[in-house]
Amino acid sequence: MSTPPLAASGMAPGPFAGAQAQQAAREVNTASLCRIGQETVQDIVYRTMEIFQLLRNMQLPNGVTYHTGTYQDRLAKLQDHLRQLSILFRKLRLVYDKCNENCGGMDPIPVEKLKQKNQQLKQIMDQLRNLIWDINAMLAMRS
C-alpha cells in the first residue's frame, strides 16, 4: 500500500484526515464506477446493433436451399453476441448496485436545482470569458 500524502510530507494528520480521505476515495470510486457504467451501456448498445445486423442478414431456412454450415456459423455468432450481451447486463447491474451502495446516504438533488446551478456556472464562465477578452484588448492597446 502507498503512504498517504500527509504522512509522506512529515505533517501529522488531523483527526478527520482518515474520514476525509475515505470519503474522497469513495467519491472517486463512485465517479469511476459511473464512467465504467457509461462505457458498459455504450457496449450494450453496440452489441445490440450487431445482433440486429446479424438477424437482418440471416435468412431463415424455410424451404430454400441454404448451406447448413453458413447457417450454423451465423447462429453460433448470434449466440456468442447474446452471451456477451448477457455478461454486459450483469456487469452493468453490479456497477449500478455498487453506485447505489456508495451513494446511499446522499440526498438526490432536484433537477430544477441542477438547472439553476448550471445556469449560474454558465453566467460565471461568460463573465470570466468577457473579462479575459477585455484584459487581452487592454494589453493589445498598450503594445
Side-chain angles (χ1 to χ4, degrees):
M1 289 181 93
S2 64
T3 308
L6 289 177
S9 66
M11 296 176 57
F16 300 108
Q20 289 173 347
Q22 185 180 18
Q23 179 66 25
R26 189 171 120 184
E27 289 173 7
V28 169
N29 190 24
T30 302
S32 297
L33 284 173
C34 289
R35 182 186 46 78
I36 291 168
Q38 179 183 4
E39 291 170 358
T40 304
V41 168
Q42 291 170 348
D43 288 344
I44 288 171
V45 169
Y46 178 74
R47 289 282 179 197
T48 304
M49 288 174 25
E50 284 183 341
I51 288 171
F52 282 117
Q53 182 71 27
L54 280 170
L55 289 172
R56 187 170 18 140
N57 293 336
M58 190 179 236
Q59 292 180 347
L60 296 176
N62 52 0
V64 178
T65 306
Y66 196 71
H67 293 66
T68 56
T70 305
Y71 175 77
Q72 291 299 326
D73 288 344
R74 289 184 180 172
L75 182 61
K77 197 174 200 179
L78 179 62
Q79 288 172 339
D80 183 52
H81 281 308
L82 289 171
R83 183 187 56 77
Q84 290 174 355
L85 192 61
S86 176
I87 291 169
L88 287 171
F89 272 111
R90 280 184 268 160
K91 177 181 175 182
L92 184 62
R93 184 60 192 199
L94 290 173
V95 169
Y96 174 80
D97 289 342
K98 187 64 176 171
C99 283
N100 277 341
E101 178 184 311
N102 287 351
C103 299
M106 297 180 175
D107 293 330
I109 300 173
V111 173
E112 287 302 316
K113 191 169 184 174
L114 284 175
K115 287 182 181 179
Q116 180 183 8
K117 291 287 184 187
N118 284 344
Q119 187 63 32
Q120 290 172 348
L121 287 173
K122 183 180 177 188
Q123 290 172 351
I124 290 170
M125 289 189 310
D126 288 341
Q127 291 171 353
L128 286 172
R129 196 175 295 120
N130 289 335
L131 180 63
I132 291 169
W133 188 82
D134 290 342
I135 291 171
N136 285 336
M138 288 177 19
L139 290 174
M141 287 178 16
R142 287 187 181 174
S143 1

